[in-house]
Amino acid sequence: MKNIEPLSSWINKTNLKRPVVIAGPCSAETSEQVMDTAIQLQSYGVNIFRAGIWKPRTRPNSFEGVGEKGLAWLQDVKQKTGMMTAIEVANTRHVELALGAGIDILWIGARTSVNPFAVQEIADSLKNKDIPVMVKNPINPDLDLWIGALERLNNVGINKLVAIHRGFSTYQKTKYRNKPEWQIAIELKRKIPNLPILCDPSHICGTPKYIEEVSQISMDLNYHGLMIETHPNPQEAWSDARQQITPKDLYEILNRLVIRKEEISNKSLLETLSELRTMIDLCDNQLLDLMEKRMDIVEKIGRHKKANDIAILQNKRWDDILQRIIKKGIEKGLSKDFVSTIFKTIHIESINHQTKIMNDD
Ligand code: PEP
Ligand code: MN
């Protein structure tokens, strides 16, 4: 992606300390609630204020945001506190109104970033505009879709781009509202290293309970900052009441976060780490060699199956392997989830190799 600007090019110095924090209510509700939250946050050192003006709700007939009139409340916040303001935009009308009201930062929500038509329309309305845009991950765990949304904005000349990791929805209930799937964000960082990334622990967790833990993980993964929903009276919030925290709780969490150094300056530590990393590379090579060996054997079995007209999938045998392996893995201190995911993936690759043999002449 072209010319992505670092946060330091558009966030002033005092706000730049890691983590960069964006906080404020899920929704702007009243002018008093907006101003009260902003003043408290500012007193705790937060300089970027968020509030939802138009709210994408899962079901109709719930509170869908105060709409346009909330923009004036954000203008007041900006004027009174000097904070930068950020809102979600989901269509071109939102963009026009936000730009007209002098909003400093726009973000595209998870229910919009899934839709290339919607993202393209928003991007077209931002052509040659110099405004920071943050893109939340799409609700489904699809890295290309997330990157695609970022590219659509970059293609129209938006260089002040930021990714926000807010987790992915699952049908199964997990301890999180939206599963983090950290590997997706790590892969995004690997593919686009100069793209700043923030974590939104509020929407990942769905409860204040894990906000600190998830924020800490994101800091350990070198994220640049956090977006956290805050409300003066979370229980009374008109949206996402279960996950918002007070400005004071936010302040306390931020103070407890351990911010580790990104760069390693100590020489002997660097050498030790480099040795250990080499060992990891060797282990990975061995794993690949073993996989190759396993697939050779799998192919031999495939040839026997073909010669004797036996179906590829032997359910009972596969189930026995999986149970045995999971048991062994747990004895070795590996989690059941990890072992079962790896071996299911290996099994699919094995079936693919055998299918190829069955279909080769
Ligand atoms: C929000 O930030 O309030 C919001 C609606 O988030 P998301 O798009 O991540 O669900
Ligand atoms: Mn919310």
Side-chain angles (χ1 to χ4, degrees), residues 26 50 55-56 88 107 109-111 136 166 200 203 229:
C26 177
R50 64 149 279 158
K55 298 304 298 180
E88 171 174 353
W107 86 80
R111 288 166 195 75
K136 290 206 178 192
R166 51 78 76 197
D200 171 348
H203 288 89
E229 286 187 343

Side-chain angles (χ1 to χ4, degrees), residues 119-147:
V119 175
Q120 191 58 52
E121 277 190 21
I122 294 172
D124 290 341
S125 67
L126 284 167
K127 198 169 165 60
N128 299 324
K129 298 277 189 313
D130 185 26
I131 182 152
V133 183
M134 310 191 292
V135 181
K136 290 206 178 192
N137 66 257
I139 42 182
N140 54 324
D142 184 337
L143 176 58
D144 274 342
L145 200 54
W146 195 3
I147 293 178

Side-chain angles (χ1 to χ4, degrees), residues 163-176:
I164 303 182
H165 176 207
R166 51 78 76 197
F168 302 89
S169 87
T170 52
Y171 183 63
Q172 284 142 334
K173 283 261 162 295
T174 68
K175 78 177 220 185
Y176 300 111

Side-chain angles (χ1 to χ4, degrees), residues 70-108:
L71 293 169
W73 307 341
L74 290 183
Q75 284 174 324
D76 288 346
V77 164
K78 194 169 156 172
Q79 214 194 357
K80 184 144 184 200
T81 67
M83 293 170 103
M84 290 178 99
T85 51
I87 67 167
E88 171 174 353
V89 291
N91 57 41
T92 51
R93 172 116 186 101
H94 295 167
V95 170
E96 277 162 29
L97 290 168
L99 294 178
I103 298 294
D104 301 290
I105 305 168
L106 309 180
W107 86 80
I108 296 183

Side-chain angles (χ1 to χ4, degrees), residues 32-265:
E32 293 78 20
Q33 167 251 10
V34 165
M35 189 56 82
D36 181 15
T37 317
I39 287 175
Q40 287 194 50
L41 286 170
Q42 196 212 16
S43 77
Y44 291 125
V46 175
N47 297 304
I48 310 178
F49 184 75
R50 64 149 279 158
I53 297 288
W54 300 282
K55 298 304 298 180
R57 303 311 297 275
T58 303
R59 307 281 298 271
N61 306 322
S62 30
F63 171 63
E64 293 190 322
V66 291
E68 213 176 320
K69 72 170 183 229
L71 293 169
W73 307 341
L74 290 183
Q75 284 174 324
D76 288 346
V77 164
K78 194 169 156 172
Q79 214 194 357
K80 184 144 184 200
T81 67
M83 293 170 103
M84 290 178 99
T85 51
I87 67 167
E88 171 174 353
V89 291
N91 57 41
T92 51
R93 172 116 186 101
H94 295 167
V95 170
E96 277 162 29
L97 290 168
L99 294 178
I103 298 294
D104 301 290
I105 305 168
L106 309 180
W107 86 80
I108 296 183
R111 288 166 195 75
T112 308
S113 64
V114 281
N115 182 343
F117 287 132
V119 175
Q120 191 58 52
E121 277 190 21
I122 294 172
D124 290 341
S125 67
L126 284 167
K127 198 169 165 60
N128 299 324
K129 298 277 189 313
D130 185 26
I131 182 152
V133 183
M134 310 191 292
V135 181
K136 290 206 178 192
N137 66 257
I139 42 182
N140 54 324
D142 184 337
L143 176 58
D144 274 342
L145 200 54
W146 195 3
I147 293 178
L150 289 155
E151 282 171 341
R152 286 176 199 280
L153 291 153
N154 192 232
N155 285 346
V156 298
I158 298 289
N159 298 327
K160 297 179 171 102
L161 266 182
V162 177
I164 303 182
H165 176 207
R166 51 78 76 197
F168 302 89
S169 87
T170 52
Y171 183 63
Q172 284 142 334
K173 283 261 162 295
T174 68
K175 78 177 220 185
Y176 300 111
R177 176 178 177 195
N178 291 293
K179 235 178 146 185
E181 308 284 13
W182 294 104
Q183 74 284 3
I184 295 182
I186 291 171
E187 184 62 5
L188 177 70
K189 277 159 71 68
R190 193 186 65 78
K191 285 194 162 164
I192 318 177
N194 50 346
L195 177 70
I197 178 162
L198 309 183
C199 180
D200 171 348
S202 301
H203 288 89
I204 289 179
C205 300
T207 158
K209 212 156 119 197
Y210 310 120
I211 287 189
E212 182 165 345
E213 166 188 317
V214 167
S215 302
Q216 184 64 57
I217 295 175
S218 73
M219 288 301 103
D220 291 341
L221 291 172
N222 283 328
Y223 283 42
H224 298 79
L226 298 164
M227 176 188 260
I228 297 183
E229 286 187 343
T230 40
H231 192 285
N233 193 356
Q235 275 94 22
E236 303 291 307
W238 298 2
S239 62
D240 283 349
R242 270 185 304 189
Q243 72 193 28
Q244 303 202 58
I245 58 175
T246 61
K248 182 158 182 284
D249 286 344
L250 172 70
Y251 175 71
E252 284 167 4
I253 289 177
L254 293 175
N255 272 337
R256 284 194 296 263
L257 288 182
V258 180
I259 310 299
R260 299 186 170 87
K261 288 194 274 304
E262 208 172 323
E263 302 290 335
I264 309 161
S265 46

